[in-house]
Amino acid sequence: MCSSDLENIHNTGNINHSWRIERDGSLRNNGLEFISKPLKPEQVETAIEHLFDALDKQAHFSPRTSIHVHMNCRELTFMQVYNIVLLYQCFEDLLYDFAGRERKKSIFCVPIGNTNYYNNFRRALSSGDLVNWNKYTGLNIAPLREYGTIEFRHLRGTSNKAIIYKWLHFLYKLYTFAVSKTTDQLEAMIIEYSNTRNFQEFGEIGRAHV
């Protein structure tokens, strides 16, 4: 997009109510980054509709683009954040399958199963302190310090709104189920379903309870 494209977007209807637009030097051809203002879950789809209404129909989502989702954790306890990380790991491979299998090889959203971050995070529970965490992981907890959020960096850039909405739905279900349980309850459930290797059923249980 050229400079005039950026000006046209800024002058389009409702987009300025929900989005901040910046140049992104990591993208070619004067690529742009769209950053939403903090939104409640029920506001997200409307904001996305406004964004796509403002975009040029020829806008290109190259393999360099991705969709990052921040979820508010400012009201959560340290153990609830741990629950999210714990539950997330049960479904990490499936989430990558949906987000785009090529994303699993991206150096900008590395699976945490390929790192030692979880083990360090687990050991930090006794101190209640956050461990160092590189931002370039699929699930990134580094923003907790600055913004009070965790970030999901997996999803490939796409103009398919149905895919985006389904992705957001998955993440919200995972988040709300994880924080609704005590750590003891969640660990017991994971052990139970690990023994039967039936995580599809585990996923169905989570969906039914949220």
Side-chain angles (χ1 to χ4, degrees), residues 16-200:
N16 291 326
H17 295 300
S18 301
W19 298 90
R20 186 174 84 250
I21 307 171
E22 296 183 356
R23 297 286 184 192
D24 189 334
S26 69
L27 300 176
R28 297 171 179 168
N29 302 318
N30 296 315
L32 301 176
E33 180 178 12
F34 298 86
I35 305 167
S36 79
K37 299 173 183 178
L39 300 169
K40 296 179 180 179
E42 62 271 18
Q43 297 173 319
V44 172
E45 287 196 16
T46 299
I48 292 173
E49 292 293 334
H50 289 163
L51 173 60
F52 277 89
D53 286 345
L55 289 179
D56 188 298
K57 301 307 179 186
Q58 302 303 314
H60 177 55
F61 293 82
S62 77
R64 290 173 173 263
T65 62
S66 56
I67 295 172
H68 298 171
V69 180
H70 283 257
M71 303 189 80
N72 180 23
C73 294
R74 285 177 291 179
E75 305 295 326
L76 302 185
T77 65
F78 187 81
M79 293 306 299
Q80 285 176 309
V81 175
Y82 170 72
N83 284 359
I84 296 170
V85 177
L86 176 63
L87 184 60
Y88 162 82
Q89 289 184 108
C90 297
F91 300 103
E92 182 172 66
D93 285 343
L94 292 175
L95 291 171
Y96 273 102
D97 285 346
F98 181 87
R101 292 185 180 182
E102 73 283 357
R103 299 286 294 163
K104 205 169 188 177
K105 299 179 182 179
S106 171
I107 62 173
F108 299 108
C109 59
V110 176
I112 64 173
N114 293 352
T115 73
N116 63 358
Y117 289 147
Y118 170 73
N119 292 331
N120 293 338
F121 190 49
R122 183 72 177 86
R123 286 194 291 268
L125 290 177
S126 57
S127 65
D129 191 19
L130 293 177
V131 297
N132 291 327
W133 195 290
N134 188 300
K135 65 178 280 188
Y136 294 121
T137 47
L139 171 60
N140 171 29
I141 68 167
L144 280 170
R145 286 192 175 92
E146 185 173 359
Y147 302 114
T149 65
I150 56 175
E151 179 188 26
F152 295 84
R153 301 171 57 88
H154 313 62
L155 188 60
R156 63 195 183 279
T158 176
S159 59
N160 188 325
K161 291 180 287 186
I163 289 176
I164 297 172
Y165 295 150
K166 187 171 288 189
W167 176 247
L168 294 173
H169 176 78
F170 290 157
L171 298 185
Y172 185 69
K173 292 294 186 182
L174 186 151
Y175 171 99
T176 53
F177 185 75
V179 303
S180 72
K181 304 296 180 184
T182 67
T183 300
D184 287 344
Q185 289 173 329
L186 192 58
E187 288 180 338
M189 293 180 72
I190 291 172
I191 291 171
E192 177 185 352
Y193 285 99
S194 292
N195 290 336
T196 62
R197 297 187 180 278
N198 192 356
F199 275 98
Q200 180 176 352

